[in-house]
Amino acid sequence: MRAFSILCLLASTAVAIPSPKISSVRRPGHRGPNRRDIVTNQVNTTAASPTITASKDNIWASLTNDEAADVIAYLHNQTDLNLTSVEDAGPWDNTIMVVDLLVPNKTDALSYMDGNGTKPERWVLASLLFGATEEPYAQDWVVGPVPTTEETVYYPYTYGSQAKDAKIRVFDQDDHSELYANASMEIKDIISDILNATIETQDDLSSTFDIWGIDPLWHQPDENGNDRVISWVGFWRYPDTVQMQNGSINFDGETLLPQGLYLQCDITGRDPSKWGLMGVLYGDEYYSSLQDFRSAWEQPGFEKYAVNYGGDWIGTDQAGEVLPLEEIAPPMPVQPAGQRFKVDEENKYIEWMDFTFYLTFTRDTGMRLYDIKYKGQRIIYELGLQEAVAHYAGNDPVQSGTAYLDTYYGFGPYAFSQIPGFDMPLYAYCMNTTFHASELSKSHRCGISIFEADQNYLIQRHSNADYISATKNIALTVRSVSTVGNYDYNFEYIFYLDGSIETVVRASGYIQSAYYAKNSEYGYQIHDALAGSMHDHSLNFKVDFDILGTQNTVVKHVIEAKDIKYKWNNLTRSTMHMYRTEVTSEDHGKMNWSANSQEQVVIVNKDVPNKYGEPRGYKIMPSRGGAGMHLTIKNSSNLINSQGFADHAYYVTKRKDSELRASSAWNDYDTANPLVDFNKFFDGDNLEQEDIVMWFNLGMHHVPHTGDLPNTVFSTAQSGMIITPHNYLLSDPSRQATQQIRIDYTDNSTTDVYTFGSQPVTGDIELAQVAWDPYTYYGDVAVRKFPYDPQNPFNDTESIV
Amino acid sequence: MRAFSILCLLASTAVAIPSPKISSVRRPGHRGPNRRDIVTNQVNTTAASPTITASKDNIWASLTNDEAADVIAYLHNQTDLNLTSVEDAGPWDNTIMVVDLLVPNKTDALSYMDGNGTKPERWVLASLLFGATEEPYAQDWVVGPVPTTEETVYYPYTYGSQAKDAKIRVFDQDDHSELYANASMEIKDIISDILNATIETQDDLSSTFDIWGIDPLWHQPDENGNDRVISWVGFWRYPDTVQMQNGSINFDGETLLPQGLYLQCDITGRDPSKWGLMGVLYGDEYYSSLQDFRSAWEQPGFEKYAVNYGGDWIGTDQAGEVLPLEEIAPPMPVQPAGQRFKVDEENKYIEWMDFTFYLTFTRDTGMRLYDIKYKGQRIIYELGLQEAVAHYAGNDPVQSGTAYLDTYYGFGPYAFSQIPGFDMPLYAYCMNTTFHASELSKSHRCGISIFEADQNYLIQRHSNADYISATKNIALTVRSVSTVGNYDYNFEYIFYLDGSIETVVRASGYIQSAYYAKNSEYGYQIHDALAGSMHDHSLNFKVDFDILGTQNTVVKHVIEAKDIKYKWNNLTRSTMHMYRTEVTSEDHGKMNWSANSQEQVVIVNKDVPNKYGEPRGYKIMPSRGGAGMHLTIKNSSNLINSQGFADHAYYVTKRKDSELRASSAWNDYDTANPLVDFNKFFDGDNLEQEDIVMWFNLGMHHVPHTGDLPNTVFSTAQSGMIITPHNYLLSDPSRQATQQIRIDYTDNSTTDVYTFGSQPVTGDIELAQVAWDPYTYYGDVAVRKFPYDPQNPFNDTESIV
């Protein structure tokens, strides 16, 4: 579920406030007033964490709190924008949604990083919401440079958008909750009956049911051909409140409690008097008015369906028989000799073995990596999530109409603090992350964890009758976990000793489920009145390869069966061979992984062959969860022109500063007319020895079954992609590792043992020392931006729902 | 490389002995005479390892040493078999190659395991080699019951073979090394010139070059249409001997040193006078006689190519710059509170959480699992490797003619002892394994390791503004590593808390490479005169599902894009749905994984729906290394009728006691006329609610690049398949785990923490205590079987080459 909460709806019935669906850009005033003195950039660096100073500053670093405050104040000074502070704004005001760094143009960046070029200026991408108009819209603006001076300018971000003036229409600027509530109250007796509730007052309604629905909104022409904006909402039951020792919680399982009742409303325009109910759906029967519904209900023989109630089954706590020996402490990773990588905390710069890279963090897409170098040579300029779509289907309009574009909600806001010993080993290095939305800067304590771990299998091994040789597979993981509503996405980048980098995404958390009635074509019945709602996850990642420079080519090395007549044999042989084919133009830039994986996809610099004449390169291939998946639906009625990044397994385009991202956070507002239309990136550009970008999808086809209750498990809902050196070096670099052994033996005895200088572990590990007190877990830290109040950060952990 | 060693060839020039290519069935007399008192069933069970007694005996257990000795003595008493003891045999004798358990018929097994049925008798499958004939052959025999009595019978294993009388012709019964040596000595001046060597004597030749080639052998008709047996051999240079502190070793990199010179010989029949050289290949030029080759060589302008020499580059020791902080001890897994699973060592029976299973071990295929139960219900009757093919291609006949069927060499013989702290965590439980070949019983100390490990990511997680819930992903791994010649195959089965079982195979070790000259269509040049030789690995596994009984059906739940008109919308919607299709007959039993993974493949018992009417089942899907791969070549000239198990991704057949394995170890002797022809399993049997078996392939398409030097790394050469409960239980069973945490918080503080009885780790881990002394590493233990000499086991670690 990604819908706005009833709490917010209730607030908005009292005071009209702008209510975009996302809490991270929602007016935060309803949050409690508790504030404490907390350092927003607190880290848990210990004396044992080796440090380093990056030779160049992190030019992709998130806006600082001061920078964000500066640009927000600057924008408020621009009278033509007619901005109102978020704190004071209503739906008919113009407000600032998000400010984030506009990354420097790549040529400027490389000039600084690689030579003596000046450090690029800091520019800002500001997303503004224009409510003071009959046709509200969002618009992206460029502001810079910052810190603001008299030189600072601002203008629409037209070069980074395929939409006119970088504008996108907003059709849900106003709050429609009263519409749904009023319609519901008209049939409160029916609701009480069919949903087995006691609804007398609007308070009863709002304390029993959460009413929300399709995302994105639909458009359809009326009989005169005029565009109408359609909303379908469904009823969801609130889980019971569970009293705990010192507080109470509600398990977050509301998305397991659909009630099977749906309302269709026309919410076109900004005049509430023009809005109205269009229909009702219950038990797969459609009624075009409340009256029709009532008439049917009054008939004897009206079929009532079962109801979903909360209860223990939606809780995630330990349940069922405790298994033999399970309670005793299980195996755990320890780091006996301290951290083996170096961090420049200020620059979020990491050095591990022969890899170096910078980290940054954005509101839209969370953690990102820049300037990944291996053995001193850049291999990737930029690596990070672009967009995540979760596309549902069902016999009811709410499931059918759900196709979340999750960067709308943002991965940054929900990259909550990780739990030591659970989300990461106890010894992990923690990095805080910050984003700026709704004129509030928030920091996640330990939003990113960085740690080495033994991968539980070797990286190299060989044995024979005389000796055995084995090398440990120690890898570095950089992890961030974002809970976007019901789902927890675990993102990680894993660096290996052979020069490989793996991108992995896993999903846990609650499924968004469907009502069971007549839904069998779209999922399994999994509880009393519940069906798993089939959906596809497609998560698009950008990888801007720079293999030995920016001039690269994608080459497929294809393995193919072939009958061949050789000069050394009279008979034709049925064998195989390999041929090469280049992806020469964006006209051929949309691709799927080959059947039986017979295509090797290699990114090379053709101008830089190795000493044997082979172009040096990196191969990219799916690594976990089967082949990299993409959407089943090619032309979704929900996503329209906003699914271009998800209809193939991977894409190659020519890199352009004007094509920074495959999607926009605001495409969800009007998917037919997106701010960023990925399809338009494909305009026939040459791809041979150009600065190219690959965009690949990870994902899962998910038809939830009973095993998804109460939560989906990460272990089977994962997808990975690995890039690996391919004729890049002259031999396997893991041979540099000293964490290997060679044992020579005869039938009589072990004769020689070599450990290559690797230092044996010594001493004791005091488990009490490495233990962690869960009572020290805190959520996020927020700092008010307008008016700027940096001396008063406050705890503020906020989730969707 | 899987070829026999020059040492053996030299021995065989002195004394004629039978020399099948496999060392595990080769006369072991040439091994050193050193014997020590070693307990062959030694285990490292410590007081900390909880034990259990299986309620039923392991009826699939390998033959004991006594059983093997008994049956071998029994066979020697059968005068019609005319057997000679391996110790005394020559190529014109009949010998025993292998004795192994013939598993009980499944109905008998289930009668015992599930009820009050008597324990099945022990029967033996004996593979005999009949050399005392002009047309030597191997033949499988059934012998039993054992212990032998007057009731014991023996007869050909015809019901388990598609070959007449369970016989397969053997075309390399005799040693042909003299043929190659003599031909080589005729051109010793040319060899000395083009391969840059000093070959004066046959000793020079045999100490400089290893001469071996295609596998399996070829057949082709001569001008009269008579079948001729063709061998192609290539020259490989021996690696240099490296003097160590207390001994010397040769790095096992001979397969990186092809010399580019190939000899073609006619080796038809058993009369060496009829054998002869047919041709020579050098520099992609074919010469039909040594004279033609000499004439060409004598021409000015004869093109000589570069030579591959050994050196440091083929060594796997630490090499190159030591990376920053790399020498200090890395993170490692520890087991602070002892082992959390129980073992019945005698029965090789394991209980971990809600899983129980039996292990066994065979000469052909190594580790196998039987009777895997989950929550008291059998889900898999049998799980294990069937066959592994490594199919090469190239412009030279040796690479083109290589298609190893590795069970011929056997995975059992080379499942060497694992290294604590490397192949397995220091705390792993070790199980010994035994096999019986060439009248010798050998035991691998720690041939199987069993251990729990934290998977470095959670199995479950959800967080919101009020709480966070997280569960550790602790899994049990059962591992065996077999080094079959140049490659080290890491096999493992991983059991998860959600009821899933993953099968993973990884490959490290040395590639078999190709000579570089004119080979670019088949691989990359990777060293001075070296090309990676492209090849496919396809490893077939049998999984005999018994989901709630033996009557099961494979159903595909297919996700499909579809345009649908709903009653609640005037417009047709472009969406998706799911449909189901059953695999009803063996006529449709050969399948590939679907594009974009849109088919979910589920094994269900249709007669046992859950309370919501959904059949309970297990889903099977590729988990690592992209989609499960199979051979590129469909009708290999090398494999002919012996590749049926490898031309699709997976197969379903009706289970039969007569179709125990997808392949036979001896198919390699005559691939056109295999003992087991997997294709013949598909004879139209019904598959709906039958006892069905799935046979799936794991594998890799491997085009070795420079990163494969000196060894291929496990991290990118891996493939996995996972089976996972699918509507099998009513909710996720990982909720039973206490190794989880829930932290409740407000903006102010953490209010409640729940750890569900999981016991915190306490005390210290003394690293010195968990350390392991590599000087205690020993190889295998052997016991002579005929004459039986159980009191004198001796160390005997033997590898191919």
Side-chain angles (χ1 to χ4, degrees), chain B residues 33 41 251 298 327 523 558 710 713:
Chain B
N41 288 314
F251 276 106
E298 284 170 347
E327 283 174 294
V558 185
V713 288

Side-chain angles (χ1 to χ4, degrees), chain A residues 359-583:
Chain A
L359 289 169
T360 186
F361 190 82
T362 77
R363 180 264 168 208
D364 293 351
T365 57
M367 175 174 66
R368 310 188 66 68
L369 280 66
Y370 277 94
D371 198 32
I372 303 173
K373 288 185 176 175
Y374 182 57
K375 294 188 179 294
Q377 293 268 21
R378 181 176 303 113
I379 53 175
I380 292 176
Y381 178 74
E382 180 189 357
L383 173 60
L385 179 70
Q386 300 298 298
E387 182 60 279
V389 59
H391 200 302
Y392 293 73
N395 77 323
D396 76 69
V398 169
Q399 294 310 311
S400 184
T402 299
Y404 296 125
L405 292 163
D406 272 338
T407 69
Y408 176 78
Y409 302 94
F411 286 87
Y414 309 108
F416 298 134
S417 300
Q418 297 176 42
I419 318 175
F422 285 86
D423 281 315
M424 56 185 177
L426 288 167
Y427 56 77
Y429 184 96
C430 271
M431 205 172 254
N432 289 357
T433 55
T434 298
F435 69 99
H436 316 281
S438 293
E439 301 181 354
L440 198 69
S441 294
K442 285 200 189 176
S443 293
H444 304 294
R445 297 184 187 86
C446 201
I448 296 175
S449 66
I450 308 167
F451 57 89
E452 278 192 309
D454 189 303
Q455 299 300 295
N456 297 323
Y457 67 90
L458 295 171
I459 195 165
Q460 173 272 339
R461 184 192 204 267
H462 188 60
S463 64
N464 72 6
D466 302 321
Y467 75 98
I468 184 166
S469 158
T471 309
K472 291 188 181 188
N473 187 9
I474 311 292
L476 183 82
T477 297
V478 182
R479 174 177 292 166
S480 180
V481 190
S482 291
T483 307
V484 185
N486 49 313
Y487 267 125
D488 299 56
Y489 293 101
N490 180 104
F491 295 100
E492 63 196 39
Y493 300 99
I494 310 175
F495 296 79
Y496 293 94
L497 290 170
D498 72 339
S500 296
I501 305 172
E502 190 176 15
T503 302
V504 181
V505 64
R506 303 186 180 94
S508 187
Y510 286 95
I511 59 166
Q512 174 169 313
S513 59
Y515 194 60
Y516 76 116
K518 302 182 181 170
N519 193 51
S520 62
E521 195 177 344
Y522 304 93
Y524 312 110
Q525 184 170 348
I526 58 174
H527 205 256
D528 297 341
L530 196 66
S533 182
M534 67 182 286
H535 57 284
D536 284 353
H537 294 276
S538 194
L539 298 102
N540 188 274
F541 288 79
K542 175 183 186 181
V543 47
D544 178 356
F545 282 105
D546 282 358
I547 304 296
L548 302 164
T550 56
Q551 308 308 100
N552 294 165
T553 306
V554 173
V555 187
K556 295 182 184 181
H557 295 181
V558 185
I559 299 157
E560 182 187 58
K562 195 175 180 188
D563 290 340
I564 302 179
K565 176 83 182 61
Y566 296 94
K567 55 179 70 167
W568 38 260
N569 196 324
N570 291 328
L571 306 173
T572 295
R573 290 181 57 73
S574 176
T575 183
M576 60 181 175
H577 76 141
M578 185 176 79
Y579 68 90
R580 305 177 190 215
T581 174
E582 294 181 359
V583 182

Side-chain angles (χ1 to χ4, degrees), chain B residues 91-112:
Chain B
W92 284 85
D93 289 318
N94 300 342
T95 56
I96 299 170
M97 293 195 290
V98 177
V99 293
D100 215 329
L101 181 78
L102 178 61
V103 295
N105 285 344
K106 187 171 174 182
T107 44
D108 298 337
L110 294 188
S111 165
Y112 168 69

Side-chain angles (χ1 to χ4, degrees), chain A residues 245-295:
Chain A
Q245 221 167 321
N246 300 307
S248 66
I249 72 156
N250 297 65
F251 276 104
D252 204 17
E254 182 190 317
T255 53
L256 299 180
L257 303 176
Q259 302 296 302
L261 177 63
Y262 308 93
L263 305 179
Q264 181 184 28
C265 293
D266 182 335
I267 56 168
T268 311
R270 301 204 66 179
D271 180 354
S273 71
K274 304 274 175 60
W275 303 342
L277 185 118
M278 297 175 70
V280 178
L281 188 79
Y282 178 75
D284 204 36
E285 290 300 327
Y286 181 71
Y287 308 95
S288 57
S289 69
L290 293 178
Q291 293 70 24
D292 285 357
F293 184 40
R294 180 172 294 281
S295 302

Side-chain angles (χ1 to χ4, degrees), chain B residues 666-705:
Chain B
W666 318 121
N667 280 0
D668 184 65
Y669 277 132
D670 187 6
T671 55
N673 305 290
L675 275 179
V676 173
D677 183 343
F678 184 71
N679 274 320
K680 294 194 175 156
F681 290 17
F682 296 83
D683 48 4
D685 283 318
N686 175 53
L687 296 178
E688 200 181 337
Q689 290 299 91
E690 296 279 0
D691 190 3
I692 54 174
V693 173
M694 186 170 280
W695 319 76
F696 64 82
N697 283 306
L698 298 180
M700 312 109 201
H701 304 297
H702 192 181
V703 186
H705 62 95

Side-chain angles (χ1 to χ4, degrees), chain A residues 778-800:
Chain A
Y778 292 111
D780 298 338
V781 186
V783 173
R784 179 85 55 226
K785 278 294 160 303
F786 194 79
Y788 194 26
D789 191 11
Q791 298 312 311
N792 287 301
F794 55 95
N795 269 318
D796 187 27
T797 301
E798 200 174 1
S799 60
I800 302 170

Side-chain angles (χ1 to χ4, degrees), chain B residues 411-650:
Chain B
F411 286 88
Y414 310 108
F416 298 135
S417 301
Q418 296 177 43
I419 317 176
F422 284 85
D423 281 314
M424 57 185 176
L426 288 168
Y427 56 77
Y429 184 95
C430 271
M431 205 172 255
N432 289 356
T433 55
T434 299
F435 69 99
H436 315 281
S438 293
E439 301 181 354
L440 199 70
S441 293
K442 285 198 187 177
S443 292
H444 305 293
R445 297 185 187 85
C446 202
I448 295 176
S449 65
I450 307 166
F451 57 89
E452 278 193 307
D454 189 302
Q455 299 300 297
N456 297 322
Y457 67 91
L458 295 171
I459 194 164
Q460 173 274 340
R461 183 191 204 269
H462 188 61
S463 64
N464 73 4
D466 301 322
Y467 76 99
I468 183 166
S469 157
T471 308
K472 291 189 182 188
N473 187 9
I474 311 291
L476 183 81
T477 296
V478 182
R479 175 176 291 166
S480 179
V481 191
S482 291
T483 307
V484 186
N486 48 314
Y487 266 124
D488 299 56
Y489 292 101
N490 180 104
F491 295 99
E492 64 196 39
Y493 299 97
I494 310 175
F495 295 82
Y496 293 93
L497 290 170
D498 72 339
S500 296
I501 305 172
E502 190 177 15
T503 302
V504 181
V505 63
R506 305 185 179 93
S508 186
Y510 286 94
I511 59 166
Q512 173 169 314
S513 59
Y515 195 60
Y516 76 116
K518 302 181 182 170
N519 193 50
S520 62
E521 194 175 344
Y522 303 93
Y524 312 111
Q525 185 171 347
I526 58 175
H527 204 256
D528 297 340
L530 195 66
S533 182
M534 68 184 284
H535 58 283
D536 284 353
H537 294 276
S538 193
L539 298 101
N540 189 273
F541 289 78
K542 175 183 185 180
V543 48
D544 178 356
F545 283 106
D546 281 358
I547 305 296
L548 302 165
T550 56
Q551 307 308 100
N552 295 166
T553 307
V554 174
V555 187
K556 296 182 183 181
H557 296 181
V558 185
I559 299 156
E560 181 188 58
K562 193 175 181 189
D563 290 341
I564 302 179
K565 178 82 181 60
Y566 295 94
K567 56 181 66 168
W568 38 260
N569 196 323
N570 291 327
L571 305 173
T572 295
R573 291 181 56 72
S574 175
T575 183
M576 60 182 174
H577 75 141
M578 184 174 80
Y579 69 90
R580 306 178 190 214
T581 175
E582 294 181 359
V583 182
T584 54
S585 145
E586 286 179 347
D587 294 340
H588 312 292
K590 302 179 178 186
M591 290 166 278
N592 292 322
W593 300 107
S594 58
N596 195 28
S597 305
Q598 286 177 210
E599 289 180 2
Q600 301 184 95
V601 180
V602 191
I603 296 85
V604 302
N605 184 332
K606 291 200 292 179
D607 298 331
V608 187
N610 67 14
K611 65 186 281 194
Y612 309 119
E614 278 296 338
R616 297 172 62 185
Y618 259 74
K619 182 163 77 167
I620 183 167
M621 57 182 173
S623 57
R624 306 195 192 208
M629 296 178 201
H630 54 275
L631 288 190
T632 302
I633 306 174
K634 294 285 179 219
N635 52 348
S636 160
S637 294
N638 300 317
L639 294 176
I640 313 173
N641 295 318
S642 297
Q643 74 164 110
F645 61 87
D647 55 12
H648 284 76
Y650 67 99

